[in-house]
Amino acid sequence: MYGNDFAPPEEGPGGGLLGEVEAAEAALREAAARARRGGPAPDEDLEAYFADVIDADQKIEPRDWMPEAYRKTLIRQIAQHAHSEIIGMQPEGNWISRAPSLKRKAILLAKVQDEAGHGLYLYAAAETLGVSRDELVELLIEGRQKYSSIFNYPTLTWADVGAIGWLVDGAAIVNQVPLCRCSYGPYARAMIRVCKEESFHQRQGYEILHTLAHGTPEQKAMAQDAVDRWWYPSLAMFGPPDGDSTHSAQSMAWKIKRFSNDELRQRFVDMCVQQAEILGLTIPDPGLRWNEERQAYDYTQPDYDELTRVIKGDGPCNRQRMAHRRGAHEEGAWVREAAAAHAAKRAEKNKEKVAA
Amino acid sequence: MSAPFDFTLALGDDALIAAQRLGEWTSRAPEMEEDVALANIALDQLGAARLLLTYAGELEGAGRDEDALAYLRGDREFRNCLLVELPNGDFAVTMAKLFFLAAYQLPLYSALAGCGDERLAAIGAKARKESAYHLDHASLWVRRLGDGTEESHRRMQAAVDQVWPYVHELFTAAPGAPVDPATLRADFDAHVSAVLAEATLTRPADGWAPGGGRDGVHNEHLSYLLAEMQVLHRAHPGAKW
């Protein structure tokens, strides 16, 4: 009922990547079925044991010993991912009240609801690493942890909702599909579930743009304008170029990351070019052309200085997004306190009942 | 609202406007679980609205579909009760509104499920399951806030007092309707009184009973709500989305 009554072309978004998610899910099951040796021997070097598990493509689970830096990296990455889902509700939530048909309104509401669900799921995955959700939410609100730079851009027209689905969710999936094979079990499992839902979202965004691009001239112009504004911020979602990426090498060695920023960015560009042709929309890059030798598209890099400015807090909506999140948190404090007080009263009453 | 078209349209409008208000909470809820819950309830209301408006359009036979009815009527043509168009206010006001709405919709949809009109019966059968969840959820929060802290008790009582006058309109007698709303009042009162008592809240005295929604005479909030809801659709006449 939520709009999947539109059959995209075979090569439409989601197809090949969903296959990779399913393969990762199968690999996860196989890894679980391969009898893992039952933990380190009493006199075994823990670091060597950890390295063995990673080498064998087995999963690290919450009770396993892990290097402190591995734990910290994962907490940072999973929390940032969770924060992105929660902040990401804002730019799209901006259009729920104005969605142009009841069907689109329902699809968008369901999507934003999914994002809240992903946020909760990812916070739970982070909590397996020994940090509480409340602590992470504090870190977000105090600006000490980041969320994806993309959500600091405004949604100015309805077509932006389509562009976010197609490009932003598309980039997120390209980024997250390899994480389905990440060495930390709870994160890998979260990513499998998240990627499946995200690929629905991407298809819905693509469908919005497809409808607009084949609608009235005003609708088509609206779609093109949205793609023009979201293309480079989406490319920047893959992070700085490989030479400048601080976390990459270690994360690759730990099998948290599987591909470099630039590899994933290239994969995304190659995927989008073909889809843009079917949409009948232009990717705003005069330098975009097929490179026969590399068997890939050459493209113009995003403005990484702009990316740095946005990450540091000076994008168009950073202040607004943070103020909104902080406002919701502060205005809801009396409700959370009431829920806690009520639960305490109930517990007290139950105790009395048991005693009596 | 005795003719089947008027009746179905009024129910559809109730659900649509309730969905629009609940949708405003997105990313603003006091906790993340509640963001999920409010979006979920908004989606249920919107789903019921779509079924009811589609059927109303068919009953009318003038070629209006759900979108024509939702986006191309002015506020004098909307038939929703005043309760659903009231602003969200704080979380207590939203929960008071949802609590009263669900306590009305549950017996309404249950009765509808047994009515002679097959389409309305099917819609009632689907929607009553969702209403039962909405009522559980709102009742839980009314109890938590009423019997929580001093502050939450004060806010919940104020919200109940503020919203209470608007419940009377829901039960205006309509003897010819597929379900006469007047017959639902006893069920509503029983559930509401029980929950308010558990929540240590006082049921307000009956008195002022504003109405007019069913005749398209609304309060000043509705046309702003519609302006926002309809702006894009109206800016592109005839476009597909």
Side-chain angles (χ1 to χ4, degrees):
Chain A
M1 143 152 209
Y2 294 140
N4 301 316
D5 48 356
F6 170 93
E10 282 304 303
E11 296 301 312
L17 288 169
L18 256 190
E20 284 183 43
V21 174
E22 272 156 25
E25 197 174 12
L28 196 69
R29 274 196 302 270
E30 282 162 26
R34 281 201 300 272
R36 205 178 109 179
R37 58 196 187 97
D43 56 344
E44 190 174 355
D45 178 355
L46 290 170
E47 282 192 45
Y49 176 76
F50 174 83
D52 267 4
V53 173
I54 299 270
D55 282 346
D57 269 329
Q58 300 285 25
K59 299 299 168 195
I60 301 294
E61 295 297 339
R63 278 184 220 167
D64 292 334
W65 180 89
M66 60 188 86
E68 203 41 39
Y70 177 85
R71 183 189 302 275
K72 281 203 171 124
T73 296
L74 276 168
I75 288 176
R76 183 182 51 75
Q77 186 173 337
I78 300 174
Q80 178 169 326
H81 197 157
H83 300 331
S84 301
E85 298 282 358
I86 296 303
I87 299 287
M89 294 168 74
Q90 291 182 43
E92 292 176 290
N94 183 36
W95 280 90
I96 289 174
S97 67
R98 292 172 293 168
S101 75
L102 296 187
K103 178 182 154 190
R104 291 290 172 211
K105 192 191 288 286
I107 291 171
L108 185 56
L109 253 172
K111 178 180 179 184
V112 178
Q113 186 194 17
D114 277 351
E115 280 160 10
H118 293 169
L120 284 172
Y121 199 48
L122 285 159
Y123 282 122
E127 285 189 319
T128 65
L129 292 157
V131 61
S132 78
R133 179 170 116 192
D134 288 349
E135 287 173 74
L136 296 176
V137 167
E138 281 302 319
L139 289 170
L140 169 67
I141 282 172
E142 290 164 11
R144 288 161 61 202
Q145 274 186 342
K146 305 285 183 202
Y147 55 87
S148 177
S149 59
I150 195 82
F151 300 121
N152 293 311
Y153 290 87
T155 48
L156 302 178
T157 72
W158 170 251
D160 289 31
V161 173
I164 288 183
W166 179 44
L167 294 173
V168 174
D169 293 334
I173 297 166
V174 168
N175 232 333
Q176 289 166 14
V177 161
L179 292 173
C180 295
R181 293 176 183 271
C182 149
S183 60
Y184 188 59
Y187 194 27
R189 289 189 287 273
M191 281 302 96
I192 286 171
R193 183 164 138 183
V194 169
C195 282
K196 285 183 182 177
E197 291 183 1
E198 292 289 1
S199 87
F200 269 125
H201 299 164
Q202 195 210 6
R203 184 189 283 204
Q204 287 160 351
Y206 181 84
E207 188 190 318
I208 288 174
L209 287 182
H210 192 274
T211 306
L212 294 176
H214 295 82
T216 66
E218 290 82 8
Q219 285 178 305
K220 181 162 187 181
M222 193 193 282
Q224 184 62 57
D225 170 62
V227 170
D228 290 350
R229 283 181 289 109
W230 288 92
W231 173 251
Y232 279 113
S234 301
L235 282 195
M237 279 174 72
F238 294 93
D242 292 349
D244 306 342
S245 182
T246 39
H247 305 295
S248 282
Q250 184 60 74
S251 286
M252 299 259 248
W254 278 330
K255 294 187 182 169
I256 296 175
K257 265 184 96 143
R258 298 272 175 157
F259 301 95
S260 77
N261 294 353
D262 286 333
E263 282 173 305
L264 292 172
R265 191 167 9 243
Q266 180 73 56
R267 188 181 290 187
F268 177 69
V269 171
D270 292 346
M271 196 179 89
C272 287
V273 173
Q274 195 188 25
Q275 292 167 7
E277 276 169 23
I278 302 169
L279 286 173
L281 295 171
T282 309
I283 287 175
D285 178 2
L288 190 73
R289 57 182 55 85
W290 178 249
N291 183 323
E292 191 60 39
E293 211 171 299
R294 291 200 305 120
Q295 287 294 300
Y297 283 91
D298 291 336
Y299 62 96
T300 309
Q301 291 287 325
D303 177 351
Y304 291 111
D305 291 339
E306 176 180 317
L307 176 65
T308 308
R309 280 197 302 279
V310 176
I311 289 174
K312 286 194 173 150
D314 287 337
C317 297
N318 298 59
R319 285 162 178 76
Q320 179 189 333
R321 302 287 184 242
M322 288 299 288
H324 181 108
R325 188 69 247 143
R326 213 178 287 125
H329 189 72
E330 284 165 9
E331 277 165 36
W334 70 272
V335 177
R336 297 190 297 275
E337 283 158 19
H342 182 74
K345 283 185 194 177
R346 293 286 296 259
E348 192 58 39
K349 265 186 205 148
N350 283 342
K351 230 194 277 169
E352 281 166 21
K353 255 189 228 161
V354 173
Chain B
M1 57 166 193
S2 55
F5 167 70
D6 292 333
F7 176 82
T8 308
L9 187 67
L11 265 48
D13 284 350
D14 282 354
L16 176 62
I17 303 303
Q20 185 74 2
R21 283 293 186 219
L22 288 165
E24 292 172 15
W25 271 100
T26 304
S27 80
R28 289 185 164 83
E31 51 187 37
M32 288 170 219
E33 286 82 355
E34 196 53 27
D35 249 319
V36 176
L38 290 174
N40 196 29
I41 297 169
L43 259 175
D44 287 344
Q45 293 285 352
L46 184 55
R50 295 181 64 191
L51 294 172
L52 288 160
L53 292 180
T54 297
Y55 186 44
E58 290 171 27
L59 287 170
E60 185 190 35
R64 292 203 279 184
D65 63 8
E66 58 177 24
D67 286 337
L69 287 170
Y71 290 97
L72 299 174
R73 281 182 298 152
D75 58 318
R76 292 282 286 112
E77 297 160 283
F78 266 78
R79 293 290 178 268
N80 59 278
C81 58
L82 302 182
L83 172 74
V84 294
E85 71 197 47
L86 297 177
N88 282 337
D90 67 6
F91 188 69
V93 173
T94 290
M95 279 305 135
K97 283 171 57 185
L98 181 63
F99 174 52
F100 295 139
L101 178 68
Y104 154 75
Q105 283 181 330
L106 179 58
L108 170 70
Y109 288 137
S110 300
L112 207 58
C115 85
D117 182 315
E118 266 180 39
R119 285 283 290 283
L120 285 177
I123 295 170
K126 179 179 185 295
R128 74 174 164 190
K129 292 178 204 150
E130 296 165 350
S131 290
Y133 159 70
H134 305 167
L135 185 56
D136 272 351
H137 190 75
S139 302
L140 184 70
W141 273 113
V142 169
R143 286 195 296 264
R144 276 181 181 155
L145 298 178
D147 190 21
T149 62
E150 230 173 87
E151 164 80 350
S152 70
H153 178 86
R154 180 186 66 75
R155 288 194 192 226
M156 196 64 235
Q157 184 67 56
V160 167
D161 293 346
Q162 182 193 327
V163 171
W164 183 255
Y166 295 91
V167 305
H168 306 298
E169 184 192 19
L170 299 171
F171 305 100
T172 308
V179 173
D180 181 353
T183 62
L184 309 171
R185 181 78 203 222
D187 246 358
F188 173 90
D189 281 338
H191 188 85
V192 162
S193 298
V195 172
L196 290 180
E198 282 178 68
T200 70
L201 295 165
T202 308
R203 180 178 152 155
D206 296 338
W208 181 51
R214 300 296 185 214
D215 301 316
V217 181
H218 294 275
N219 60 40
E220 291 177 350
H221 306 295
L222 184 66
S223 80
Y224 286 96
L225 181 150
L226 295 181
E228 185 174 343
M229 185 173 86
Q230 298 176 340
V231 60
L232 180 59
H233 187 95
R234 285 189 187 260
H236 298 264
K240 288 192 168 56
W241 300 97

